[in-house]
Amino acid sequence: MEEQIKYPYPPKTERWMKMFYGSLNEKDKRHYAAIEAHKLGHGGITYISELLNCARSTIHDALEEFKKK
C-alpha cells in the first residue's frame, strides 16, 4: 500500500503557496489548487485542499475542466 503524502513541502514553501493562493481570483485559485494536487499524485488532493483550505470537490471540478480542454 502506497503511503499517503502529508507534508511534501517545507513550511516556508507552504506559506508562500498560501499567500499566492490568497491573491488569486476564484477561477485561478481552483486551477492552481488542481495543478498542485495533480503534481503530487496520490494524496495530493487531500494535502492541497487542507493546505489551501479549499474543498476537495473544488479541486476535482478543476481537474475535470482540464480533462475537457
Side-chain angles (χ1 to χ4, degrees):
M1 188 165 118
E2 193 172 326
E3 188 174 329
Q4 187 162 354
I5 298 168
K6 289 194 177 204
Y7 302 103
Y9 296 122
K12 185 175 184 178
T13 301
E14 288 182 342
R15 285 192 306 275
W16 288 356
M17 289 171 70
K18 289 177 186 181
M19 285 189 307
F20 178 67
Y21 180 79
S23 73
L24 300 172
N25 64 43
E26 290 303 314
K27 178 183 173 188
D28 291 339
K29 283 181 177 181
R30 184 171 66 248
H31 290 171
Y32 175 66
I35 290 167
E36 288 294 336
H38 178 73
K39 288 189 322 188
L40 295 172
H42 182 76
I45 292 173
T46 299
Y47 171 71
I48 294 298
S49 70
E50 291 174 1
L51 176 66
L52 300 178
N53 195 29
C54 69
R56 292 169 44 89
S57 60
T58 299
I59 296 173
H60 282 289
D61 291 347
L63 289 170
E64 288 302 315
E65 286 179 44
F66 286 134
K67 288 179 184 176
K68 292 178 183 177
K69 293 184 179 195

